[in-house]
Amino acid sequence: MDYVIVFGAGVRPDGRPSPVLRHRIEGALAWGRGRAGTMFLATGGKGRHGPPEAQVTSDGLIAGGVDPALILVECAARDTLESVRLCDRILRERGDCERVIVCTSTYHQRRCALLLRLLGYRVVVPDVPNGWGRLKVRRYGVALLKEAIATPYDAGLLLLRKGASAILRNPRIR
């Protein structure tokens, strides 16, 4: 089964999705259109404003025509790495994931895809609406710089955690 993971982003004080989050929801809806049985996994905890990002995402997916029974919600994650780890836990418990589709901003897709691949998932990086029109050039540049720093950092942390977990599970090492 395919799982579309929709990564969180800001929520406005009135509870509406920020333009960035709206883009991510639109990307997920575009991917899911015409793909029966696709599951959606909204991730993202409570930020500065409003309800958790994942709940706002879920509401947006439902408003876009997605059956609520096809939506899973992870409302605890505070950052990308935590979203990946918590989504991994959900997907492993379900045990039916064949592919993961990464629905996030274009500047954020590579990091999310890499982290999910490091966990062993088959990952699809779809064309999503580009955020250029909604982000000022300076802000987009800051987002790219953040990704350049965060990607190796998160990947290293994930690999360390994965390695430590494997060691703890191996009875010959203990």
Side-chain angles (χ1 to χ4, degrees):
M1 177 167 299
D2 285 350
Y3 283 83
V4 177
I5 299 180
V6 188
F7 286 84
V11 173
R12 293 185 175 215
D14 64 2
R16 290 182 304 128
S18 65
V20 172
L21 184 55
R22 198 167 51 249
H23 249 114
R24 294 174 183 192
I25 295 166
E26 290 167 3
L29 290 169
W31 175 266
R33 217 169 269 119
R35 290 183 168 94
T38 296
M39 293 291 296
F40 294 82
L41 176 48
T43 181
K46 186 167 177 11
R48 202 174 351 170
H49 304 294
E53 297 163 356
Q55 188 57 56
V56 174
T57 299
S58 175
D59 293 345
L61 292 169
I62 292 167
V66 175
D67 179 349
L70 298 175
I71 302 171
L72 304 172
V73 178
E74 181 293 300
C75 290
R78 296 166 295 191
D79 59 36
T80 299
L81 181 57
E82 197 168 27
S83 282
V84 168
R85 288 182 42 245
L86 294 173
C87 288
D88 175 51
R89 182 181 302 156
I90 290 168
L91 295 174
R92 291 197 190 282
E93 285 173 4
R94 292 185 62 91
D96 62 351
C97 180
E98 295 172 18
R99 294 189 308 174
V100 172
I101 292 80
V102 177
C103 278
T104 188
S105 303
T106 52
Y107 60 83
H108 192 229
Q109 280 182 316
R110 285 188 178 136
R111 175 165 46 135
C112 296
L114 172 65
L115 296 174
L116 289 161
R117 284 182 179 120
L118 288 173
L119 290 171
Y121 291 98
R122 285 182 47 220
V123 176
V124 174
V125 179
D127 288 332
V128 293
N130 192 331
W132 267 110
R134 296 186 184 171
L135 288 179
K136 293 187 164 105
V137 173
R138 183 169 186 244
R139 186 161 173 225
Y140 200 82
V142 168
L144 290 174
L145 179 61
K146 177 184 174 188
E147 292 302 312
I149 294 167
T151 299
Y153 180 81
D154 283 356
L157 286 176
L158 188 64
L159 288 171
L160 281 172
R161 185 179 193 94
K162 189 175 173 183
S165 178
I167 289 169
L168 292 174
R169 283 192 313 265
N170 188 336
R172 287 185 269 175
I173 294 176
R174 285 187 261 150

